[in-house]
């Protein structure tokens, strides 16, 4: 690894620190007793509080003025100014800690611990007067310089390639990024509370599966050496959760890591987090109300309002959402009535509408292609698209009024699917027939079609009560609740294409 000039200087400083008997990476506990935000929010000059402060953080700026200096350190909660005076941190004759260590061997990015007291400077800025300074971790790489003045960030690090590959640096120099992930944690915590109050049990199901089921998607394949069998990374946890409903639980849910061996774009990552919940003795009508109340609660908790700005649209998660059958949506936005069409007629309609198709696509995917091309982009406010044709929903109960349809809904926001829910199919004979239809599609070349899971059919044969189930992508939900437009901005470490090796001479040009 070829080092830059600055990296060489920092390694030389590291060696000098050790020659002075200073360990750059000490192992002892550092007794932090306050945070920057606590001091900034709670200091009262009249009370004279925060007079015995122990803080730790990263040096973000320094202004050295002879025997005294100002700087800023940043901890998890934010930045605070520090005041370092030579004779305070070096009360004896030896001034090495100030003159050599602080002034010459420490750098922006180093992590230090300070002990001191809070005070207001002559310019009116709250600061920490440092009485003792300890190096806790020497930084060997140079941080990108981000300047902040009067609450305005200048020269922000915005290159997504850099930010996503080196998220640890992104979090240091772009503090607002942390807020997105704090909100993500609040979203999940709020959902857990909501489900637990509804009497549901959080469970865990296998990630490695012998049959990938619960969704139409291409799986990742791996191999179990001891058993000498192929295994698949989970594409959905639906079939295992419904087995637990068969086993007698009235409500179960799971926050699951799912994996789909498909493309990547601004709203798709091959590894993603999905929440699925199944509640016995409920149907999809009940689930729609359940979802409306949940999303309103999440938005209020995270943002203090049910209204969120997303990509220039003010989205309101409060109230009752529009309910629109999928065939009516196609008629409304594409101007054609596809109800009752067979596969040949649907292909002709797709051709007429300039919708791209593949020979392996059956009726369900052809209808979905028309809907995706013409209707989805128009569904800006939260909208339940309901009553999908049977061919599109192999795990869903047939509609009680029209057996050619199913009791299914998908929730769309800003033209993107956020949730998928059913009145779950609990007829084992019908379920096996649906699996067999999926197998026929797979034999035609549809590599996303479902496998036949005979153990799941066997579970249904023991009897599963009427059940409603819901799947919701946590990454996409976080995008909506935080106003982000790409999934990479709500994942700490999104999947990236392999980084190309660039010769130094080319990089320097």
């Amino acid at each position: 690894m070829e080092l830059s000039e600055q990296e060489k200087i920092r390694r030389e400083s590291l060696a000098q620190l050790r020659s002075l008997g200073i360990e750059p990476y000490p192992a002892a506990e550092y007794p932090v007793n306050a945070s920057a935000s606590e001091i900034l929010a709670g200091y009262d000059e009249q009370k004279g509080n925060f007079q015995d402060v122990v803080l730790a953080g990263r040096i973000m700026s320094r202004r050295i003025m002879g025997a005294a200096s100002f700087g800023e350190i940043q901890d998890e909660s934010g930045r605070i100014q520090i005041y370092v005076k030579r004779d305070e941190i070096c009360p004896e004759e030896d001034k090495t800690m100030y003159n050599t260590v602080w002034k010459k061997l420490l750098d922006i990015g180093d992590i230090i611990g300070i002990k001191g007291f809070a005070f207001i400077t002559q310019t009116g800025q709250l600061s920490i007067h440092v009485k003792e300074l300890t190096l806790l971790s020497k930084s060997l790489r140079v941080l990108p310089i981000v300047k902040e003045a009067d609450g305005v960030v200048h020269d922000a690090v915005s290159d997504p390639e850099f930010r996503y590959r080196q998220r640890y640096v992104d979090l240091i120099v772009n503090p607002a990024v942390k807020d997105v992930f704090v909100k993500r944690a609040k979203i999940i915590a709020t959902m857990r509370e909501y489900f637990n109050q509804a009497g549901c049990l959080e469970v865990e199901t296998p990630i490695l599966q012998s049959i990938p089921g619960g969704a139409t998607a291409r799986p990742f394949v791996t191999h179990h050496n001891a058993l000498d069998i192929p295994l698949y990374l989970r594409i959905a946890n639906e079939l295992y959760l419904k087995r637990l409903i068969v086993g007698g639980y009235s409500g179960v849910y799971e926050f699951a890591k799912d994996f789909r061996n498909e493309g990547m774009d601004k709203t798709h990552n091959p590894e993603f987090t999905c929440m699925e919940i199944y509640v016995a003795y409920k149907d999809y009508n009940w689930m729609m109300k359940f979802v409306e109340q949940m999303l309103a609660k999440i938005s209020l908790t995270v943002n203090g309002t049910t209204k969120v700005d997303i990509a220039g649209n003010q989205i309101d998660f409060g109230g009752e959402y529009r309910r629109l059958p999928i065939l009516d949506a196609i008629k409304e936005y594409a101007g054609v009535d596809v109800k009752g069409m067979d596969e040949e007629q649907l292909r002709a309609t797709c051709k007429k509408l300039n919708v791209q198709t593949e020979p392996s696509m059956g009726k369900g995917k052809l209808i979905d292609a028309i809907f995706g091309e013409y209707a989805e982009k128009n569904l800006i406010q939260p909208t339940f698209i309901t009553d999908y044709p049977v061919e599109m929903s192999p795990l869903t109960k047939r509609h009680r009024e029209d057996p050619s349809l199913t009791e299914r809904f998908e929730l769309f926001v800003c033209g993107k699917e956020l949730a998928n829910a059913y009145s779950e199919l609990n007829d084992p004979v019908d379920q096996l027939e649906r699996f067999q239809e999926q197998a026929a599609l797979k034999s035609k070349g549809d590599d996303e079609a479902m496998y036949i899971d005979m153990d799941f059919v066997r579970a249904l044969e023991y009897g599963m009560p009427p059940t409603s189930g819901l799947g919701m992508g946590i990454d996409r939900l976080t995008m909506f609740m935080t106003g982000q437009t790409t999934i990479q901005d709500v994942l700490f470490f999104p999947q990236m294409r392999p980084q190309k090796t660039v010769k130094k001479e080319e990089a320097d040009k």
Side-chain angles (χ1 to χ4, degrees):
M1 179 180 69
E2 189 171 351
L3 300 177
S4 68
E5 187 65 28
Q6 282 293 321
E7 288 170 340
K8 290 177 183 177
I9 291 172
R10 289 191 178 213
R11 280 166 169 75
E12 291 170 2
S13 297
L14 181 73
Q16 290 182 54
L17 286 164
R18 285 190 164 127
S19 71
L20 291 170
I22 297 173
E23 172 52 54
Y25 307 102
E29 173 190 0
Y30 196 76
V32 173
N33 64 12
S35 70
S37 64
E38 288 173 347
I39 298 170
L40 290 168
Y43 177 70
D44 187 323
E45 191 173 14
Q46 299 299 320
K47 294 180 179 178
N49 54 346
F50 293 108
Q51 295 303 292
D52 188 16
V53 167
V54 183
L55 271 178
R58 195 179 294 271
I59 301 172
M60 299 304 290
S61 69
R62 286 190 304 171
R63 302 188 305 281
I64 296 174
M65 301 169 290
S69 309
F70 284 99
E72 281 185 313
I73 64 170
Q74 176 176 291
D75 63 12
E76 182 183 12
S77 69
R79 293 189 186 189
I80 194 166
Q81 181 169 279
I82 62 173
Y83 173 66
V84 184
K85 192 174 181 181
R86 183 186 61 195
D87 294 338
E88 290 282 354
I89 66 170
C90 304
E92 306 297 331
E93 289 188 13
D94 184 359
K95 308 300 182 183
T96 302
M97 175 56 71
Y98 185 87
N99 291 336
T100 302
V101 176
W102 170 249
K103 289 177 66 174
K104 299 177 180 179
L105 301 182
L106 296 189
D107 295 286
I108 303 299
D110 290 351
I111 299 173
I112 61 172
I114 59 170
K115 296 180 181 180
F117 58 88
F119 76 109
I120 303 294
T121 67
Q122 291 181 351
T123 59
Q125 185 165 351
L126 176 59
S127 304
I128 304 300
H129 187 123
V130 178
K131 304 285 286 184
E132 181 182 315
L133 186 150
T134 304
L135 176 61
L136 300 177
S137 182
K138 179 68 182 167
S139 171
L140 300 183
R141 284 185 177 265
V142 181
L143 284 176
I145 299 299
V146 178
K147 299 176 182 177
E148 185 174 339
D150 299 323
V152 179
V153 175
H154 304 274
D155 302 320
V157 177
S158 58
D159 177 20
E161 182 77 8
F162 177 84
R163 292 180 55 233
Y164 302 152
R165 288 191 189 280
Q166 299 188 43
R167 180 67 84 186
Y168 37 88
V169 180
D170 184 34
L171 291 165
I172 294 170
V173 300
N174 291 322
V177 172
K178 289 182 180 178
D179 295 337
V180 172
F181 293 97
V182 169
K183 287 184 175 182
R184 181 186 175 111
K186 287 182 179 179
I187 288 167
I188 294 172
T190 303
M191 295 175 81
R192 277 200 170 98
E193 179 186 16
Y194 185 71
F195 298 150
N196 291 341
Q197 288 178 349
C200 298
L201 178 72
E202 185 171 7
V203 299
E204 294 179 90
T205 62
I207 292 176
L208 287 174
Q209 302 181 354
S210 57
I211 297 175
T216 53
R218 183 186 303 166
F220 285 93
V221 185
T222 186
H223 187 83
H224 191 293
N225 291 332
L227 297 178
D228 192 25
I229 58 172
L231 288 174
Y232 304 89
L233 294 184
R234 171 173 61 197
I235 59 174
N237 50 350
E238 175 172 344
L239 301 188
Y240 282 94
L241 292 174
K242 288 196 282 195
R243 285 174 170 94
L244 297 180
I245 296 294
V246 171
Y249 291 103
S250 61
V252 292
Y253 70 94
E254 181 177 16
F255 290 90
K257 280 291 186 182
D258 290 346
F259 307 84
R260 297 184 184 178
N261 197 357
E262 298 165 348
M264 299 188 300
D265 58 31
K266 289 185 175 182
T267 58
H268 294 88
N269 194 66
E271 173 186 351
F272 62 98
T273 303
C274 185
M275 185 289 307
E276 294 200 29
I277 183 169
Y278 294 83
V279 185
Y281 309 109
K282 307 296 183 184
D283 65 6
Y284 79 141
N285 292 310
W286 175 88
M287 186 62 78
M288 284 186 235
K289 296 176 184 177
F290 188 74
V291 169
E292 288 170 342
Q293 293 168 7
M294 177 183 72
L295 291 178
K297 180 180 177 67
I298 291 171
S299 189
L300 283 168
T301 300
V302 172
N303 298 308
T305 174
T306 61
K307 296 178 180 178
V308 182
D309 289 327
I310 306 172
N313 299 295
Q314 188 177 74
I315 306 303
D316 191 352
F317 287 104
E320 186 173 299
Y321 307 160
R322 185 186 184 192
R323 287 147 170 79
L324 179 63
I326 187 170
L327 299 184
D328 290 350
I330 290 173
K331 181 187 288 187
E332 180 175 333
Y333 295 111
V336 295
D337 188 352
V338 299
K339 183 175 177 62
M341 285 188 182
D342 59 24
E343 186 174 322
E344 184 177 339
Q345 291 171 315
L346 285 167
R347 286 191 183 281
T349 301
C350 286
K351 185 175 181 180
K352 181 179 178 181
L353 294 172
N354 295 315
V355 175
Q356 292 187 345
T357 63
E358 297 291 339
S360 63
M361 295 170 69
K363 286 181 62 176
K365 285 204 168 183
L366 292 169
I367 292 171
D368 193 38
I370 299 171
F371 172 76
E373 184 69 28
Y374 282 87
E376 281 189 16
K377 60 189 176 186
N378 295 294
L379 306 174
I380 304 303
Q381 291 299 325
T383 303
F384 291 121
I385 298 297
T386 67
D387 303 344
Y388 286 65
V390 169
E391 294 82 4
M392 298 179 69
S393 312
L395 298 170
T396 313
K397 187 185 287 291
R398 292 179 187 269
H399 199 284
R400 64 196 77 181
E401 296 176 0
D402 185 345
S404 70
L405 304 176
T406 58
E407 296 196 349
R408 172 187 177 187
F409 72 79
E410 287 184 299
L411 175 61
F412 284 84
V413 179
C414 282
K416 300 294 181 182
E417 177 205 341
L418 175 58
N420 188 19
Y422 315 148
S423 294
E424 300 295 335
L425 178 57
N426 60 345
D427 179 340
V429 176
D430 192 0
Q431 181 63 83
L432 180 56
E433 291 174 354
R434 307 268 197 99
F435 277 151
Q436 290 168 339
E437 290 167 2
Q438 288 287 301
L441 290 173
K442 187 170 287 292
S443 67
K444 288 174 59 177
D446 186 349
D447 56 8
E448 293 185 347
M450 289 187 185
Y451 292 72
I452 298 178
D453 188 337
M454 289 306 300
D455 179 71
F456 178 66
V457 174
R458 178 171 59 189
L460 293 184
E461 288 174 343
Y462 281 98
M464 184 177 83
T467 298
S468 183
L470 167 77
M472 180 173 287
I474 298 301
D475 309 320
R476 195 167 291 180
L477 175 60
T478 303
M479 287 174 59
F480 291 149
M481 290 295 174
T482 59
Q484 304 301 309
T485 57
T486 64
I487 195 171
Q488 290 81 10
D489 285 323
V490 299
L491 300 173
F492 274 128
F493 305 106
Q495 186 66 45
M496 302 289 288
R497 298 183 188 279
Q499 191 167 13
K500 293 180 180 179
T501 302
V502 181
K503 292 183 180 179
K504 187 177 186 302
E505 307 86 69
E506 296 175 353
D508 290 340
K509 289 181 181 178

